[in-house]
Amino acid sequence: MSQQIINNKSPEKEYYSETEKKEISKRYRKILNGAKEYIKEGDTRVIRKALNISMEAHKEMRRKSGEPYIYHPLEVALICVEEIGLGPTSIICALLHDVVEDTHITLKEIEKDFGPKVAQIIDGLTKIAENFEQTQSAQAENFRKMLLTLSQDVRVILIKLADRLHNMRTLGSMARNSQLKIAHETIYIYAPLAHRLGLYQIKSELEDLYLKYTEPEKYKEISSKLSSSKTARKRLIDGFMKPLNKRLAEAGLNFYIKGRPKHIYSIWKKLTTQNVSFENIYDLFAIRIIIKGIPPAEHDKEKAACWQAYSIVTDEYRPNPDRLKDWISTPRANGYESLHTTVMSNQGVWVEVQIRTERMDEIAEKGYAAHWKYKGTDTTLDKPLDQWLNQVRDTLADKDNSAIEFLEDFRGNLFSEEVFVFTPKGDLKVLRKGATVLDFAFDIHTEIGKKCTAGKVNSHLVPISHVLQNGDQVEILTTKNQKPSEDWLRFVVTSKAKARIKDILKESNKTHISEGKDIIYKKLKNLGIEPTLEVLNQLRAFFNKKDYNELFYFFGKTYIQADEIKKFKQEREAMANRQKKIVIDEKAFKDAKSFEKEIQKVKGNDTLLIGDDMQQIDFTLARCCNPIPGDDVFGFLTINEGIKIHRNLCPNAQQLLSNYGNRVIKARWASQLEKSYLVTIELSGIDRVGMIQDISKVISGELHINMRGLSVETFDGIFEGKIKVYVFDTKHLDILIGKLEEIEGVNSVLRAATE
Ligand code: MN
């Protein structure tokens, strides 16, 4: 049967080999099989048509690994089915998701063949044509576009996440700089997004893959430690559960255990941020007790059963009272429900126990889609997620925001926890944690927000900047004459309030903007500079403004005096005189294509060798992360300052790579470097007489390292110090750190991220 699908009717050329055709039908059948329960009569025919079109359209394309391109959409569809739990429409869209972007097929044709819904989703999955302005990021724009479609259909994001997951799984065959770009973009936006939608499994895998490609050594180290401690872990779980198994069964609870370890990325995070050793992470894994056999509709019974299990666990083991979390009574915003407690085991280690029902577990792992599956049984269940989606829609409504600003706002929303408050009538409102009376007012209505002058929280009069707490009942007081001010933006936290206030301010700012524009043009003319787009953009960069409007506004409001343009003129002339520095001429790339070319010119096909004098390309080492030879690094092409070298671990790397991945240049250190670099080392420990002498003895005496500064602070017998030293490379630095660690009383020695 499936033979028919994959016989393409071109006798001149066979695009797929026999083995490949077999593989395609195998994967296709797997998709249909996985979605059995959702597929209705007639669906199969449409899905097959989608496969045919996609196979034909992609027939001449191969992936970097050499496999036929069609494997990719097939795998994406399979992830949608098996790991997210989506149905036929999503399968069709997944199969066709790259067709409009990469082949001759148009959105119109898709609409004709599959209807408006499919076309709309695919439109959301298709990148915009690249004609972006210099100041904007195409990647951020694409992301915004994708989210705009999200407000009509969440499946856009779910399929995009499946697409990203498969790309991450197959990242091994990509070039190093693409790996970095894609990996950072993933950790910056896609993993948090998966988390927000409750797709825990996908989020964890994305994070692990990110680590695998950005910190391969660390990744390997942790995963081998995890597998070697597997038996010990199993023994601990068995011992822990032994007394519980019996009592839980006696109580009539039908259950099973999952004892999965933490994923590699979160262990790595703990290791790096808390500076503990692998062996000392006490919550390396959690024991999950999953209760079966309760009909999902009987929410009360589910809750009672979970608390019953909790009572048995804490009868047997002493709980840590600070670590009880009841996500059943108040589910998290991503829909997560579970009961968490941490108890002391007989082996003397803390063990986290998670108690939940099968339904809760499925939601915890598959998130959004699993939610919908149960929606029919109890419509109140998905309230938090719907609320969140509404918030996303609000963010999206603000189309004037620059794409990057939008992305930042959006990310802020992804990470935030929420606060539950009530209207005077007792309606529940879920706002972002830290929300103020003013946020609440804007959440109710823009007109109320605009006129808000104060609030009453639990009948007490409070200012509009008052931060709300869980359970607060809030009443808004308004006056006719109230006017929003810029000051408001300092304390509101919800994107809705921010967006609305900005809108209102923008309206009144228009006058200042046009005044500022006049001032600048006049002054430039005075100084004999033609106000070209290039000049304006340089001016914007010089005054560190994010766009022209902001620049004009600052002049219009006379926050910046017109005379300061003189300084810009001087700087500009000095710049032009500087030799060898790469300054990209913006006139040279009016469109994305020529910008791309310019970058290629700089990049060549080779890796930038840092410190190789033969290379004619100039670069500087980024101040934000202070790289030294031996660090994993990348080059980043800036508009005005040439190439900057950053560490892969730079605090800014995620932001740079996810917004401007096309400006990334492969870079590595030339082997023969005789230069030394300044790094800062932070150390702490127990203070004693002679400590500083010992430290400086190691540095200048034993290792003959040049020290530039040493500062030490002591309090209550503990000391914390910072040393600035010159080293040749990471090896040199490691030796120094090793020696310092050996000094009596020294507890930790770390390289500081910045100077
Ligand atoms: Mn794709």
Side-chain angles (χ1 to χ4, degrees):
M1 213 171 46
S2 38
Q3 286 297 22
Q4 213 183 345
I5 338 155
I6 48 185
N7 258 338
N8 59 54
K9 286 184 196 129
S10 93
E12 323 86 63
K13 193 161 179 193
E14 282 289 345
Y15 289 97
Y16 300 102
S17 76
E18 283 309 314
T19 352
E20 284 164 359
K21 283 184 200 165
K22 268 195 199 123
E23 185 59 36
I24 292 167
S25 16
K26 200 174 115 199
R27 292 181 195 206
Y28 174 70
R29 279 195 305 270
K30 221 169 150 193
I31 294 168
L32 290 186
N33 203 27
K36 249 190 331 231
E37 55 177 312
Y38 306 106
I39 292 180
K40 292 189 295 291
E41 232 190 279
D43 285 342
T44 326
R45 195 184 48 80
V46 192
I47 295 172
R48 185 173 298 173
K49 186 166 151 197
L51 176 67
N52 283 342
I53 289 178
S54 187
M55 275 182 77
E56 175 63 22
H58 291 300
K59 68 184 177 192
E60 288 177 65
M61 296 163 67
R62 296 256 152 188
R63 300 204 89 205
K64 283 256 158 67
S65 60
E67 290 182 334
Y69 194 86
I70 189 71
Y71 285 11
H72 167 64
L74 279 165
E75 284 300 312
V76 174
L78 199 59
I79 293 170
C80 286
V81 167
E82 288 187 338
E83 294 172 59
I84 308 181
L86 296 170
T89 308
S90 305
I91 297 174
I92 292 163
C93 294
L95 289 173
L96 296 167
H97 81 271
D98 277 331
V99 148
V100 173
E101 189 172 311
D102 295 339
T103 78
H104 58 274
I105 291 176
T106 63
L107 216 50
K108 267 221 175 87
E109 293 169 274
I110 297 281
E111 182 164 357
K112 209 181 87 222
D113 282 344
F114 298 95
K117 187 88 245 173
V118 169
Q120 184 191 53
I121 294 175
I122 290 182
D123 186 26
L125 292 163
T126 304
K127 284 191 194 143
I128 45 171
E130 297 208 356
N131 59 345
F132 56 98
E133 253 188 80
Q134 202 46 87
T135 49
Q136 300 206 327
S137 156
Q139 272 159 281
E141 285 294 355
N142 276 317
F143 196 76
R144 170 151 71 177
K145 185 193 169 210
M146 184 173 80
L147 286 173
L148 277 171
T149 337
L150 161 98
S151 54
Q152 291 138 4
D153 202 311
V154 196
R155 283 174 290 194
V156 177
I157 295 291
L158 298 173
I159 297 167
K160 188 70 203 171
L161 283 168
D163 181 30
R164 178 51 57 130
L165 181 60
H166 186 243
N167 285 335
M168 285 296 283
R169 282 178 182 167
T170 51
L171 204 57
S173 40
M174 302 291 278
R176 183 69 183 141
N177 56 336
S178 310
Q179 285 180 348
L180 284 177
K181 178 195 153 198
I182 295 169
H184 278 96
E185 206 179 69
T186 299
I187 204 72
Y188 187 70
I189 197 82
Y190 291 102
L193 190 57
H195 172 72
R196 206 57 174 79
L197 289 168
L199 297 156
Y200 181 75
Q201 286 301 335
I202 289 182
K203 171 220 162 203
S204 306
E205 191 178 343
L206 287 175
E207 288 178 340
D208 282 356
L209 287 165
Y210 159 79
L211 194 66
K212 185 175 170 186
Y213 288 102
T214 51
E215 291 281 312
E217 295 300 320
K218 295 271 157 35
Y219 178 86
K220 264 184 238 151
E221 193 186 319
I222 296 170
S223 58
S224 77
K225 276 187 177 164
L226 266 183
S227 59
S228 66
S229 57
K230 207 172 165 185
T231 9
R233 248 187 347 258
K234 188 170 181 312
R235 218 179 308 131
L236 194 109
I237 295 174
D238 290 347
F240 183 87
M241 284 309 297
K242 211 171 170 197
L244 295 179
N245 284 331
K246 200 167 148 248
R247 289 200 52 192
L248 288 167
E250 276 168 11
L253 292 169
N254 193 358
F255 69 98
Y256 58 96
I257 303 298
K258 277 187 186 173
R260 232 176 266 159
K262 257 193 163 46
H263 66 292
I264 298 173
Y265 176 82
S266 64
I267 293 174
W268 173 76
K269 268 250 133 144
K270 262 218 155 125
L271 290 174
T272 46
T273 56
Q274 300 184 1
N275 198 23
V276 289
S277 67
F278 183 85
E279 290 70 26
N280 287 332
I281 298 182
Y282 68 83
D283 52 350
L284 263 180
F285 67 98
I287 293 178
R288 199 175 294 163
I289 299 174
I290 295 157
I291 300 169
K292 314 189 274 190
I294 301 173
E298 299 181 36
H299 197 233
D300 289 349
K301 277 193 189 155
E302 287 190 285
K303 192 172 165 180
C306 290
W307 280 104
Q308 199 180 1
Y310 171 83
S311 157
I312 291 169
V313 171
T314 51
D315 275 352
E316 209 64 44
Y317 301 106
R318 189 167 56 82
N320 178 341
D322 295 338
R323 294 185 64 103
L324 168 65
K325 287 190 190 112
D326 175 10
W327 301 113
I328 295 180
S329 307
T330 321
R332 279 182 168 164
N334 62 12
Y336 183 84
E337 290 173 76
S338 192
L339 202 55
H340 292 192
T341 178
T342 302
V343 298
M344 179 55 78
S345 71
N346 295 333
Q347 282 90 340
V349 288
W350 290 106
V351 172
E352 182 176 313
V353 183
Q354 304 175 345
I355 302 165
R356 55 175 86 146
T357 62
E358 263 183 320
R359 177 190 65 84
M360 297 174 188
D361 194 50
E362 192 177 347
I363 288 171
E365 302 212 326
K366 284 188 180 168
Y368 196 80
H371 232 106
W372 287 102
K373 190 171 146 190
Y374 294 107
K375 198 185 179 184
T377 60
D378 183 348
T379 44
T380 60
L381 285 180
D382 43 45
K383 256 206 170 141
L385 256 181
D386 282 343
Q387 292 241 19
W388 179 72
L389 282 172
N390 280 333
Q391 281 174 24
V392 172
R393 282 175 195 129
D394 289 335
T395 321
L396 292 165
D398 185 23
K399 289 184 190 112
D400 286 350
N401 246 349
S402 88
I404 291 177
E405 197 180 346
F406 160 78
L407 201 57
E408 290 293 317
D409 264 11
F410 182 76
R411 270 189 92 231
N413 260 338
L414 287 179
F415 290 109
S416 66
E417 294 281 324
E418 37 290 304
V419 58
F420 299 85
V421 291
F422 298 93
T423 66
K425 282 185 187 155
D427 290 337
L428 177 71
K429 292 263 169 200
V430 184
L431 298 172
R432 184 171 166 182
K433 200 168 183 176
T436 60
V437 167
L438 191 58
D439 285 295
F440 182 89
F442 273 102
D443 193 72
I444 292 176
H445 200 281
T446 306
E447 287 308 310
I448 294 176
K450 252 162 99 171
K451 303 275 176 244
C452 177
T453 42
K456 269 188 180 174
V457 169
N458 309 325
S459 316
H460 291 292
L461 194 67
V462 294
I464 55 173
S465 59
H466 179 85
V467 175
L468 301 174
Q469 305 297 326
N470 271 329
D472 279 350
Q473 191 158 36
V474 192
E475 189 185 332
I476 298 298
L477 305 177
T478 57
T479 52
K480 253 193 213 152
N481 306 328
Q482 179 68 303
K483 270 213 177 81
S485 77
E486 301 217 3
D487 202 43
W488 287 14
L489 289 170
R490 276 193 313 108
F491 56 81
V492 294
V493 296
T494 57
S495 29
K496 184 172 184 174
K498 270 190 201 160
R500 297 295 179 275
I501 296 169
K502 280 186 198 160
D503 274 351
I504 300 163
L505 291 174
K506 239 170 234 160
E507 221 21 70
S508 74
N509 287 346
K510 273 185 186 153
T511 10
H512 297 302
I513 290 173
S514 76
E515 282 165 12
K517 194 173 172 182
D518 290 346
I519 295 173
I520 290 175
Y521 274 62
K522 222 164 121 191
K523 190 74 195 173
L524 286 173
K525 218 174 199 175
N526 270 340
L527 295 169
I529 304 173
E530 183 80 11
T532 59
L533 211 59
E534 182 194 356
V535 167
L536 285 177
N537 203 21
Q538 285 171 354
L539 206 58
R540 180 196 58 74
F542 181 80
F543 290 107
N544 202 12
K545 295 288 161 271
K546 71 173 197 310
D547 55 32
Y548 298 142
N549 279 350
E550 193 178 294
L551 178 75
F552 297 154
Y553 176 80
F554 269 71
F555 277 87
K557 271 231 153 186
T558 62
Y559 291 155
I560 304 176
Q561 299 297 326
D563 256 5
E564 297 201 30
I565 296 183
K566 277 187 194 155
K567 284 188 209 148
F568 162 75
K569 192 189 174 191
Q570 287 159 7
E571 168 82 14
R572 193 165 169 264
E573 282 160 1
M575 189 83 135
N577 292 331
R578 237 174 279 164
Q579 289 280 303
K580 272 179 87 182
K581 186 128 265 180
I582 298 165
V583 178
I584 303 172
D585 182 357
E586 273 146 51
K587 274 187 288 187
F589 40 91
K590 279 177 230 81
D591 57 328
K593 275 242 168 62
S594 47
F595 179 60
E596 207 66 50
K597 253 190 225 154
E598 199 65 24
I599 288 173
Q600 282 312 326
K601 239 199 279 173
V602 182
K603 279 183 180 173
N605 287 317
D606 276 327
T607 307
L608 171 67
L609 266 183
I610 308 165
D612 183 352
D613 287 341
M614 300 303 287
Q615 209 137 7
Q616 288 303 303
I617 297 171
D618 200 16
F619 61 87
T620 45
L621 301 175
R623 292 288 289 278
C624 49
C625 56
N626 205 23
I628 64 172
D631 281 333
D632 279 337
V633 289
F634 63 91
F636 187 81
L637 192 61
T638 63
I639 294 184
N640 293 319
E641 297 173 275
I643 297 170
K644 293 238 163 173
I645 306 295
H646 292 265
R647 291 168 67 187
N648 287 359
L649 280 179
C650 173
N652 296 321
Q654 288 182 16
Q655 213 263 355
L656 292 175
L657 288 158
S658 22
N659 287 326
Y660 303 104
N662 58 340
R663 297 199 203 161
V664 173
I665 297 154
K666 264 192 286 183
R668 63 183 175 80
W669 301 91
S671 48
Q672 310 264 296
L673 272 174
E674 294 279 302
K675 230 182 124 201
S676 52
Y677 296 82
L678 192 64
V679 293
T680 305
I681 292 174
E682 289 169 346
L683 69 178
S684 64
I686 298 154
D687 196 26
R688 61 175 169 78
V689 179
M691 175 64 93
I692 294 182
Q693 281 91 318
D694 285 353
I695 292 172
S696 40
K697 210 166 79 193
V698 165
I699 297 172
S700 12
E702 283 183 41
L703 295 170
H704 306 290
I705 288 174
N706 208 347
M707 185 160 65
R708 210 182 77 174
L710 169 69
S711 66
V712 176
E713 267 178 48
T714 322
F715 46 90
D716 294 340
I718 304 288
F719 80 92
E720 273 177 14
K722 273 192 179 182
I723 316 173
K724 293 188 174 197
V725 287
Y726 284 99
V727 295
F728 295 122
D729 52 26
T730 44
K731 269 191 204 134
H732 197 195
L733 180 64
D734 286 344
I735 294 171
L736 174 62
I737 289 179
K739 286 270 182 198
L740 289 171
E741 277 172 342
E742 281 171 20
I743 296 174
E744 193 200 327
V746 170
N747 220 337
S748 89
V749 185
L750 286 170
R751 172 179 174 191
T754 55
E755 254 183 70

